[in-house]
Amino acid sequence: MKKLTDLKLRNQLIISTYIMVFLLFIIKPTLIPSIFNKFIFAFKPFIMGGVIAFLINLPMKVIEEKIVKHLCKRHRKLEKMCRPIALVFTLTIVGILIWIFLSYIVPHLIESISILTNDIPKYLNSLQDYIITKLNDLKMLESTKFDVQSMVQKFLTYVGNFVNMFISNFFNFTVSITNFFVNLFLGMIISIYILLSKENLILQFKKLIYAFLSEKTCGKIIYVLKLTHNKFSRFILGQSTDGLILGSIFFIVFTIVKIPFALLISILIPILNFIPIFGTYVGIVISAFIILMVKPSSVILFLILVFTIQQLDGKFVYPIVVGNSLGLSPLWILLAIVVGGNLFGVIGMILGMPLVSVIYELSSYAINKRIKEKNIEIKN
Protein backbone atom coordinates (compact mmCIF):
# COMPACT_ATOMS: atom_id res chain seq x y z
CA MET A 1 0.00 0.00 0.00
CA LYS A 2 2.86 2.33 0.91
CA LYS A 3 4.58 1.58 -2.44
CA LEU A 4 1.35 2.39 -4.27
CA THR A 5 1.01 5.72 -2.41
CA ASP A 6 4.64 6.58 -3.20
CA LEU A 7 4.09 5.74 -6.85
CA LYS A 8 1.01 7.98 -7.03
CA LEU A 9 2.90 10.82 -5.32
CA ARG A 10 5.79 10.42 -7.73
CA ASN A 11 3.48 10.51 -10.77
CA GLN A 12 1.71 13.60 -9.38
CA LEU A 13 5.03 15.38 -8.89
CA ILE A 14 6.12 14.56 -12.45
CA ILE A 15 2.81 15.78 -13.92
CA SER A 16 2.94 18.94 -11.79
CA THR A 17 6.48 19.66 -13.00
CA TYR A 18 5.47 19.24 -16.64
CA ILE A 19 2.48 21.58 -16.14
CA MET A 20 4.67 24.23 -14.45
CA VAL A 21 7.26 24.11 -17.24
CA PHE A 22 4.50 24.28 -19.88
CA LEU A 23 2.92 27.30 -18.16
CA LEU A 24 6.32 29.00 -17.98
CA PHE A 25 6.73 28.57 -21.73
CA ILE A 26 3.28 30.14 -22.32
CA ILE A 27 3.42 32.99 -19.75
CA LYS A 28 7.08 33.94 -20.18
CA PRO A 29 8.64 32.11 -23.15
CA THR A 30 11.98 33.97 -22.80
CA LEU A 31 12.52 32.93 -19.16
CA ILE A 32 13.96 29.44 -19.72
CA PRO A 33 16.29 30.52 -22.62
CA SER A 34 17.43 33.42 -20.40
CA ILE A 35 18.22 31.05 -17.53
CA PHE A 36 20.00 28.72 -19.93
CA ASN A 37 22.11 31.60 -21.31
CA LYS A 38 23.03 32.73 -17.78
CA PHE A 39 24.00 29.17 -16.92
CA ILE A 40 26.20 28.94 -20.03
CA PHE A 41 27.77 32.32 -19.25
CA ALA A 42 28.52 31.33 -15.63
CA PHE A 43 30.14 28.03 -16.66
CA LYS A 44 31.85 29.39 -19.82
CA PRO A 45 35.41 28.86 -18.50
CA PHE A 46 34.57 25.25 -17.61
CA ILE A 47 32.90 24.68 -20.98
CA MET A 48 35.94 26.15 -22.75
CA GLY A 49 38.18 24.06 -20.50
CA GLY A 50 36.28 20.92 -21.47
CA VAL A 51 36.52 21.75 -25.19
CA ILE A 52 40.26 22.55 -24.91
CA ALA A 53 40.84 19.35 -22.93
CA PHE A 54 38.99 17.33 -25.59
CA LEU A 55 41.08 18.87 -28.41
CA ILE A 56 44.43 18.57 -26.59
CA ASN A 57 43.62 15.02 -25.54
CA LEU A 58 43.58 13.90 -29.19
CA PRO A 59 47.33 14.43 -29.84
CA MET A 60 48.25 13.83 -26.17
CA LYS A 61 46.79 10.33 -26.27
CA VAL A 62 48.88 9.45 -29.33
CA ILE A 63 52.05 10.94 -27.80
CA GLU A 64 51.46 9.15 -24.48
CA GLU A 65 50.72 5.75 -26.02
CA LYS A 66 53.27 5.77 -28.85
CA ILE A 67 56.22 7.68 -27.37
CA VAL A 68 56.15 8.46 -23.65
CA LYS A 69 55.09 5.03 -22.33
CA HIS A 70 57.80 3.28 -24.34
CA LEU A 71 60.41 5.67 -22.95
CA CYS A 72 59.11 5.37 -19.38
CA LYS A 73 59.30 1.55 -19.50
CA ARG A 74 63.07 1.85 -19.66
CA HIS A 75 63.07 4.07 -16.55
CA ARG A 76 60.66 2.65 -13.98
CA LYS A 77 60.90 5.74 -11.80
CA LEU A 78 59.18 7.69 -14.55
CA GLU A 79 56.21 5.30 -15.00
CA LYS A 80 53.95 7.38 -12.75
CA MET A 81 54.97 10.51 -14.62
CA CYS A 82 53.78 9.35 -18.05
CA ARG A 83 50.70 11.58 -18.09
CA PRO A 84 52.40 14.82 -16.91
CA ILE A 85 55.32 14.24 -19.33
CA ALA A 86 52.92 13.60 -22.25
CA LEU A 87 50.86 16.68 -21.31
CA VAL A 88 53.94 18.94 -21.05
CA PHE A 89 55.23 17.59 -24.38
CA THR A 90 51.85 18.17 -26.07
CA LEU A 91 51.44 21.66 -24.62
CA THR A 92 54.96 22.54 -25.77
CA ILE A 93 54.16 21.46 -29.34
CA VAL A 94 50.81 23.32 -29.27
CA GLY A 95 52.55 26.40 -27.81
CA ILE A 96 55.20 26.38 -30.56
CA LEU A 97 52.52 26.05 -33.26
CA ILE A 98 50.49 28.91 -31.74
CA TRP A 99 53.64 31.06 -31.50
CA ILE A 100 54.46 30.38 -35.17
CA PHE A 101 50.87 31.17 -36.13
CA LEU A 102 50.77 34.44 -34.13
CA SER A 103 54.27 35.57 -35.10
CA TYR A 104 54.35 34.75 -38.79
CA ILE A 105 50.90 33.92 -40.16
CA VAL A 106 48.56 36.33 -38.31
CA PRO A 107 50.53 39.53 -39.23
CA HIS A 108 50.49 38.54 -42.92
CA LEU A 109 46.79 37.71 -42.71
CA ILE A 110 45.94 41.05 -41.08
CA GLU A 111 48.06 42.89 -43.65
CA SER A 112 46.38 41.04 -46.54
CA ILE A 113 42.88 41.69 -45.17
CA SER A 114 43.67 45.37 -44.53
CA ILE A 115 45.07 45.87 -48.04
CA LEU A 116 42.15 44.02 -49.59
CA THR A 117 39.56 45.97 -47.58
CA ASN A 118 41.12 49.38 -48.30
CA ASP A 119 41.70 48.74 -52.01
CA ILE A 120 38.36 47.09 -52.90
CA PRO A 121 37.02 50.23 -54.72
CA LYS A 122 40.23 50.43 -56.79
CA TYR A 123 40.09 46.69 -57.55
CA LEU A 124 36.43 46.96 -58.59
CA ASN A 125 37.16 49.82 -60.99
CA SER A 126 40.06 47.86 -62.51
CA LEU A 127 37.86 44.78 -62.84
CA GLN A 128 35.10 46.81 -64.45
CA ASP A 129 37.54 48.28 -66.98
CA TYR A 130 38.92 44.79 -67.66
CA ILE A 131 35.45 43.33 -68.34
CA ILE A 132 34.38 46.27 -70.52
CA THR A 133 37.61 46.02 -72.51
CA LYS A 134 37.11 42.31 -73.11
CA LEU A 135 33.48 42.87 -74.16
CA ASN A 136 34.58 45.62 -76.52
CA ASP A 137 37.17 43.30 -78.04
CA LEU A 138 34.46 40.73 -78.63
CA LYS A 139 32.16 43.48 -80.04
CA MET A 140 29.39 42.38 -77.71
CA LEU A 141 28.41 45.88 -76.62
CA GLU A 142 27.53 46.94 -80.18
CA SER A 143 25.03 44.11 -80.69
CA THR A 144 23.16 44.61 -77.40
CA LYS A 145 20.31 47.03 -76.84
CA PHE A 146 20.66 47.26 -73.04
CA ASP A 147 23.35 48.98 -71.02
CA VAL A 148 25.87 46.21 -70.36
CA GLN A 149 28.33 48.60 -68.73
CA SER A 150 25.74 49.74 -66.19
CA MET A 151 24.76 46.13 -65.43
CA VAL A 152 28.40 45.11 -64.93
CA GLN A 153 28.96 48.10 -62.66
CA LYS A 154 25.88 47.32 -60.54
CA PHE A 155 26.80 43.63 -60.30
CA LEU A 156 30.39 44.38 -59.29
CA THR A 157 29.23 46.95 -56.73
CA TYR A 158 26.81 44.45 -55.20
CA VAL A 159 29.38 41.64 -55.05
CA GLY A 160 32.06 44.05 -53.84
CA ASN A 161 29.85 45.20 -50.97
CA PHE A 162 29.23 41.56 -50.02
CA VAL A 163 32.94 40.67 -50.09
CA ASN A 164 33.79 43.86 -48.21
CA MET A 165 31.22 42.99 -45.54
CA PHE A 166 32.57 39.44 -45.27
CA ILE A 167 36.19 40.56 -44.99
CA SER A 168 35.32 43.35 -42.53
CA ASN A 169 33.44 40.90 -40.31
CA PHE A 170 36.31 38.44 -40.54
CA PHE A 171 38.75 41.19 -39.56
CA ASN A 172 36.51 42.31 -36.67
CA PHE A 173 36.26 38.71 -35.55
CA THR A 174 40.04 38.35 -35.40
CA VAL A 175 40.31 41.59 -33.41
CA SER A 176 37.48 40.72 -30.98
CA ILE A 177 39.23 37.48 -29.92
CA THR A 178 41.13 39.56 -27.36
CA ASN A 179 37.87 39.85 -25.35
CA PHE A 180 37.99 36.11 -24.66
CA PHE A 181 41.55 35.97 -23.31
CA VAL A 182 40.46 35.78 -19.67
CA ASN A 183 38.06 32.89 -20.27
CA LEU A 184 40.63 31.24 -22.53
CA PHE A 185 43.30 31.50 -19.83
CA LEU A 186 40.96 30.04 -17.20
CA GLY A 187 39.87 27.37 -19.69
CA MET A 188 43.50 26.36 -20.27
CA ILE A 189 44.09 25.94 -16.52
CA ILE A 190 40.86 23.94 -16.13
CA SER A 191 41.76 21.77 -19.15
CA ILE A 192 45.13 20.89 -17.57
CA TYR A 193 43.38 19.74 -14.38
CA ILE A 194 40.92 17.72 -16.48
CA LEU A 195 43.67 16.03 -18.51
CA LEU A 196 45.81 15.21 -15.48
CA SER A 197 42.90 13.62 -13.63
CA LYS A 198 40.66 12.36 -16.44
CA GLU A 199 40.66 8.78 -15.15
CA ASN A 200 39.53 9.95 -11.69
CA LEU A 201 36.82 12.16 -13.24
CA ILE A 202 35.57 9.22 -15.34
CA LEU A 203 35.52 7.02 -12.22
CA GLN A 204 33.58 9.67 -10.27
CA PHE A 205 31.06 9.99 -13.09
CA LYS A 206 30.58 6.22 -13.20
CA LYS A 207 30.06 6.11 -9.43
CA LEU A 208 27.46 8.89 -9.72
CA ILE A 209 25.34 7.20 -12.40
CA TYR A 210 25.69 3.69 -10.94
CA ALA A 211 24.54 5.03 -7.55
CA PHE A 212 21.23 6.34 -8.90
CA LEU A 213 20.51 4.34 -12.07
CA SER A 214 20.22 0.67 -12.95
CA GLU A 215 23.26 -1.23 -14.22
CA LYS A 216 21.66 -1.74 -17.63
CA THR A 217 20.90 1.98 -18.03
CA CYS A 218 24.44 2.91 -16.95
CA GLY A 219 25.88 0.51 -19.53
CA LYS A 220 23.82 2.20 -22.25
CA ILE A 221 24.90 5.69 -21.13
CA ILE A 222 28.59 4.70 -21.14
CA TYR A 223 28.23 3.09 -24.58
CA VAL A 224 26.59 6.25 -26.02
CA LEU A 225 29.28 8.49 -24.51
CA LYS A 226 32.09 6.30 -25.88
CA LEU A 227 30.47 6.23 -29.33
CA THR A 228 30.02 10.04 -29.27
CA HIS A 229 33.63 10.58 -28.18
CA ASN A 230 34.88 8.24 -30.92
CA LYS A 231 32.84 9.89 -33.69
CA PHE A 232 33.73 13.46 -32.70
CA SER A 233 37.42 12.59 -32.20
CA ARG A 234 37.79 10.90 -35.57
CA PHE A 235 35.88 13.66 -37.36
CA ILE A 236 37.80 16.60 -35.84
CA LEU A 237 41.22 14.93 -36.04
CA GLY A 238 40.63 13.74 -39.61
CA GLN A 239 39.25 17.05 -40.89
CA SER A 240 42.03 19.04 -39.17
CA THR A 241 44.78 16.84 -40.62
CA ASP A 242 43.25 16.95 -44.10
CA GLY A 243 42.79 20.73 -43.85
CA LEU A 244 46.42 21.21 -42.78
CA ILE A 245 47.70 19.10 -45.70
CA LEU A 246 45.35 20.79 -48.17
CA GLY A 247 46.23 24.31 -46.95
CA SER A 248 49.97 23.60 -47.13
CA ILE A 249 49.68 22.30 -50.72
CA PHE A 250 47.54 25.30 -51.71
CA PHE A 251 50.06 27.75 -50.24
CA ILE A 252 53.07 26.12 -51.91
CA VAL A 253 51.41 25.86 -55.34
CA PHE A 254 49.80 29.33 -55.23
CA THR A 255 53.09 30.92 -54.15
CA ILE A 256 54.98 29.22 -57.00
CA VAL A 257 52.49 30.39 -59.68
CA LYS A 258 52.16 33.82 -57.99
CA ILE A 259 48.44 33.77 -57.16
CA PRO A 260 47.63 36.98 -55.19
CA PHE A 261 46.83 36.65 -51.47
CA ALA A 262 48.07 33.04 -51.49
CA LEU A 263 48.27 32.77 -47.68
CA LEU A 264 44.76 34.19 -47.09
CA ILE A 265 43.20 31.87 -49.69
CA SER A 266 45.19 28.84 -48.47
CA ILE A 267 43.75 29.33 -44.97
CA LEU A 268 40.23 30.39 -46.03
CA ILE A 269 39.38 27.32 -48.16
CA PRO A 270 40.51 24.62 -45.64
CA ILE A 271 38.67 26.40 -42.79
CA LEU A 272 35.42 26.55 -44.79
CA ASN A 273 36.09 22.93 -45.83
CA PHE A 274 35.00 21.96 -42.30
CA ILE A 275 31.45 22.67 -43.49
CA PRO A 276 30.73 19.63 -45.70
CA ILE A 277 29.41 19.95 -49.29
CA PHE A 278 28.89 23.74 -49.29
CA GLY A 279 31.96 25.02 -47.41
CA THR A 280 34.57 24.21 -50.05
CA TYR A 281 32.60 25.83 -52.87
CA VAL A 282 31.86 28.95 -50.80
CA GLY A 283 35.60 29.28 -50.10
CA ILE A 284 36.47 28.80 -53.79
CA VAL A 285 33.88 31.38 -54.95
CA ILE A 286 35.07 34.02 -52.44
CA SER A 287 38.72 33.32 -53.30
CA ALA A 288 38.02 33.44 -57.05
CA PHE A 289 36.34 36.83 -56.71
CA ILE A 290 39.26 38.20 -54.65
CA ILE A 291 41.66 37.07 -57.40
CA LEU A 292 39.29 38.43 -60.08
CA MET A 293 39.47 41.89 -58.48
CA VAL A 294 43.26 41.87 -58.06
CA LYS A 295 44.53 39.83 -61.02
CA PRO A 296 41.73 38.73 -63.41
CA SER A 297 44.10 36.82 -65.69
CA SER A 298 44.89 34.36 -62.87
CA VAL A 299 41.30 33.26 -62.14
CA ILE A 300 41.19 30.41 -64.67
CA LEU A 301 44.56 29.12 -63.49
CA PHE A 302 43.39 29.33 -59.86
CA LEU A 303 40.20 27.36 -60.57
CA ILE A 304 42.11 24.68 -62.51
CA LEU A 305 44.65 24.30 -59.68
CA VAL A 306 42.01 24.25 -56.93
CA PHE A 307 39.83 21.61 -58.56
CA THR A 308 42.87 19.50 -59.51
CA ILE A 309 44.25 19.58 -55.96
CA GLN A 310 40.75 18.90 -54.54
CA GLN A 311 40.35 15.87 -56.80
CA LEU A 312 43.78 14.49 -55.83
CA ASP A 313 42.99 15.12 -52.16
CA GLY A 314 39.61 13.39 -52.48
CA LYS A 315 41.13 10.30 -54.12
CA PHE A 316 44.42 9.85 -52.23
CA VAL A 317 44.62 11.94 -49.01
CA TYR A 318 41.05 12.16 -47.68
CA PRO A 319 40.29 8.39 -47.75
CA ILE A 320 43.48 7.68 -45.74
CA VAL A 321 43.27 10.58 -43.27
CA VAL A 322 39.49 10.77 -42.75
CA GLY A 323 37.94 7.82 -44.55
CA ASN A 324 34.25 7.08 -44.08
CA SER A 325 34.59 7.61 -40.32
CA LEU A 326 31.02 8.85 -39.93
CA GLY A 327 29.34 6.25 -42.14
CA LEU A 328 26.70 8.69 -43.45
CA SER A 329 25.15 8.87 -46.90
CA PRO A 330 25.00 12.27 -48.70
CA LEU A 331 21.31 12.67 -47.74
CA TRP A 332 22.05 12.36 -44.00
CA ILE A 333 25.05 14.71 -44.35
CA LEU A 334 22.75 17.26 -46.02
CA LEU A 335 20.23 16.81 -43.19
CA ALA A 336 22.95 17.41 -40.59
CA ILE A 337 24.12 20.59 -42.36
CA VAL A 338 20.66 22.10 -42.92
CA VAL A 339 19.17 21.31 -39.50
CA GLY A 340 22.41 22.03 -37.61
CA GLY A 341 22.85 25.32 -39.48
CA ASN A 342 19.27 26.43 -38.79
CA LEU A 343 19.58 25.64 -35.08
CA PHE A 344 23.15 26.69 -34.23
CA GLY A 345 24.60 28.45 -37.29
CA VAL A 346 28.07 27.56 -38.60
CA ILE A 347 28.98 25.56 -35.45
CA GLY A 348 25.82 23.51 -35.97
CA MET A 349 26.82 22.78 -39.58
CA ILE A 350 30.25 21.50 -38.48
CA LEU A 351 29.26 19.51 -35.38
CA GLY A 352 25.93 18.37 -36.83
CA MET A 353 27.63 15.64 -38.89
CA PRO A 354 29.23 13.64 -36.04
CA LEU A 355 26.11 14.17 -33.91
CA VAL A 356 23.78 12.87 -36.63
CA SER A 357 26.24 9.99 -37.16
CA VAL A 358 25.86 9.00 -33.49
CA ILE A 359 22.05 9.23 -33.67
CA TYR A 360 22.04 7.28 -36.95
CA GLU A 361 24.18 4.45 -35.55
CA LEU A 362 22.14 4.17 -32.33
CA SER A 363 18.86 4.25 -34.27
CA SER A 364 20.10 1.64 -36.76
CA TYR A 365 21.15 -0.67 -33.92
CA ALA A 366 17.79 -0.28 -32.13
CA ILE A 367 15.75 -0.78 -35.33
CA ASN A 368 17.72 -3.84 -36.48
CA LYS A 369 17.47 -5.36 -33.00
CA ARG A 370 13.68 -4.94 -32.92
CA ILE A 371 13.32 -6.43 -36.42
CA LYS A 372 15.50 -9.40 -35.42
CA GLU A 373 13.43 -9.98 -32.28
CA LYS A 374 10.26 -10.07 -34.42
CA ASN A 375 11.88 -12.56 -36.84
CA ILE A 376 11.06 -10.35 -39.81
CA GLU A 377 13.11 -10.55 -43.00
CA ILE A 378 13.01 -7.35 -45.07
CA LYS A 379 14.18 -7.51 -48.69
CA ASN A 380 14.96 -4.68 -51.13
Side-chain angles (χ1 to χ4, degrees):
M1 188 72 181
K2 187 178 179 182
K3 286 184 179 179
L4 186 63
T5 307
D6 291 341
L7 186 61
K8 285 183 178 179
L9 181 63
R10 180 186 169 188
N11 291 335
Q12 288 172 358
L13 285 171
I14 292 171
I15 293 168
S16 301
T17 304
Y18 282 140
I19 292 170
M20 287 176 66
V21 172
F22 181 71
L23 289 173
L24 277 174
F25 268 117
I26 294 174
I27 297 168
K28 199 169 183 181
T30 58
L31 180 62
I32 292 176
S34 176
I35 294 171
F36 179 75
N37 289 334
K38 286 181 180 179
F39 179 84
I40 295 294
F41 180 79
F43 283 88
K44 187 178 280 186
F46 288 90
I47 294 170
M48 290 183 72
V51 173
I52 293 168
F54 176 79
L55 295 175
I56 292 176
N57 184 59
L58 298 177
M60 189 190 78
K61 192 175 180 182
V62 176
I63 291 169
E64 186 178 359
E65 296 291 334
K66 303 293 183 182
I67 301 172
V68 177
K69 282 189 175 179
H70 290 289
L71 294 174
C72 289
K73 281 180 180 178
R74 300 175 186 177
H75 305 86
R76 295 198 172 182
K77 292 181 181 179
L78 296 175
E79 282 186 1
K80 293 182 179 179
M81 296 293 292
C82 283
R83 176 62 50 74
I85 292 170
L87 180 58
V88 169
F89 194 57
T90 307
L91 290 175
T92 303
I93 294 171
V94 171
I96 291 169
L97 292 174
I98 292 172
W99 176 76
I100 292 170
F101 183 76
L102 294 175
S103 300
Y104 296 97
I105 298 176
V106 169
H108 289 292
L109 275 178
I110 293 173
E111 184 184 357
S112 298
I113 293 168
S114 299
I115 292 170
L116 191 58
T117 305
N118 295 330
D119 293 346
I120 274 180
K122 184 178 74 176
Y123 290 144
L124 286 175
N125 289 331
S126 300
L127 178 59
Q128 181 181 329
D129 294 339
Y130 177 81
I131 292 173
I132 298 300
T133 303
K134 290 296 180 184
L135 291 174
N136 281 327
D137 293 341
L138 294 171
K139 297 182 179 181
M140 291 181 66
L141 289 176
E142 295 176 3
S143 60
T144 55
K145 295 180 180 179
F146 49 87
D147 191 355
V148 176
Q149 185 171 354
S150 176
M151 290 180 63
V152 169
Q153 187 174 3
K154 286 179 181 179
F155 172 75
L156 292 177
T157 303
Y158 175 78
V159 178
N161 290 335
F162 173 77
V163 174
N164 197 10
M165 180 188 69
F166 176 83
I167 293 170
S168 298
N169 289 334
F170 184 77
F171 180 75
N172 292 333
F173 173 74
T174 57
V175 173
S176 65
I177 288 176
T178 54
N179 297 326
F180 297 97
F181 274 169
V182 174
N183 284 331
L184 186 63
F185 177 72
L186 291 172
M188 282 296 298
I189 295 172
I190 291 166
S191 69
I192 290 170
Y193 279 107
I194 292 172
L195 291 169
L196 288 174
S197 57
K198 64 178 182 178
E199 282 81 10
N200 289 332
L201 291 172
I202 292 170
L203 181 61
Q204 289 171 2
F205 174 75
K206 285 182 177 180
K207 284 182 177 180
L208 177 66
I209 61 172
Y210 274 100
F212 295 98
L213 301 172
S214 66
E215 190 174 347
K216 186 178 179 181
T217 304
C218 292
K220 289 179 180 179
I221 291 171
I222 291 169
Y223 171 74
V224 171
L225 291 175
K226 284 183 177 178
L227 179 64
T228 305
H229 178 269
N230 181 47
K231 291 287 185 181
F232 274 81
S233 299
R234 291 176 66 183
F235 175 74
I236 293 172
L237 190 61
Q239 289 291 118
S240 301
T241 306
D242 183 63
L244 184 63
I245 295 169
L246 200 60
S248 302
I249 295 170
F250 279 150
F251 179 69
I252 293 167
V253 173
F254 293 162
T255 303
I256 291 170
V257 298
K258 296 181 180 179
I259 296 290
F261 298 107
L263 180 63
L264 177 63
I265 293 168
S266 301
I267 292 174
L268 179 65
I269 297 176
I271 287 175
L272 291 173
N273 194 40
F274 265 91
I275 303 171
I277 301 176
F278 304 116
T280 304
Y281 296 106
V282 171
I284 291 171
V285 169
I286 293 171
S287 302
F289 186 76
I290 291 171
I291 296 166
L292 187 65
M293 289 192 298
V294 182
K295 193 178 178 183
S297 58
S298 298
V299 174
I300 303 298
L301 176 62
F302 163 75
L303 292 174
I304 292 170
L305 289 173
V306 165
F307 285 113
T308 303
I309 294 169
Q310 285 278 5
Q311 287 297 315
L312 292 172
D313 174 74
K315 289 185 178 180
F316 299 105
V317 180
Y318 194 87
I320 297 170
V321 175
V322 181
N324 193 20
S325 58
L326 297 179
L328 291 176
S329 65
L331 179 63
W332 290 107
I333 292 173
L334 192 61
L335 174 72
I337 295 168
V338 173
V339 176
N342 288 333
L343 292 175
F344 304 106
V346 177
I347 300 296
M349 289 182 181
I350 297 170
L351 300 182
M353 277 185 61
L355 186 60
V356 168
S357 177
V358 171
I359 296 169
Y360 180 83
E361 188 161 329
L362 292 172
S363 302
S364 298
Y365 175 77
I367 291 166
N368 291 330
K369 185 181 178 183
R370 300 258 319 191
I371 291 172
K372 190 176 180 181
E373 287 173 354
K374 291 183 178 181
N375 293 321
I376 299 173
E377 187 178 349
I378 300 173
K379 296 180 179 179
N380 291 329

